[in-house]
Amino acid sequence: MLRIVTLCTGNAARSVMGGAIVRARRADIEVVTAGTHVIEGMPMSWRTRDALAGLEVTADGHRSRQLRERDLDTADLVLAMAGEHVAYVRRVHPSASGRTATLKRLVRDLAPGPEPLGSRLGALGLDVVPIEEWEDVDDPAGGDLPQFEACAREIDDLLLELLPAL
């Protein structure tokens, strides 16, 4: 079974959305959600919950958690929501750098095919590829429900493109 970590800053919005959407669309993928700067154990906001509900997706029982080394040890892919999260993994968990990319970069660059995912990720040079501004999914934190809904729709649209390539 493919194992993915979805990663954002607080593990309260973008990574939660990404993880819930992957679970809803692909039962054959195991998902862990985490953040780079987390207050442990916090529930998602009502805005995140309602934005997911608009996609008919849930993340019941979610509690925020900091990214851990053991999350990365068995992860086939770390789906970062912004360049800063890729930079964090490169700096703090360099052994996972070659399996870490932003969602937008993977949508653009990951070739579908019969080759194993690890080989296709390796061909992208993710541990050294420059991180660019266009790669970020904007953080809705501090925004109102429409910003959270737009974020959830963007992540859903990107995952609909990416998931068949995995």
Side-chain angles (χ1 to χ4, degrees), residues 130-152:
I131 301 166
E132 301 179 50
E133 287 183 33
W134 62 265
E135 297 185 63
D136 293 358
V137 172
D138 289 335
D139 190 351
D144 291 322
L145 182 57
Q147 284 81 28
F148 280 75
E149 291 170 330
C151 181

Side-chain angles (χ1 to χ4, degrees), residues 21 25 107 154-165:
I21 292 166
R25 308 285 187 250
V107 166
E154 179 181 18
I155 291 170
D156 188 37
D157 289 345
L158 289 164
L159 285 168
L160 286 173
E161 289 186 58
L162 178 63
L163 289 175

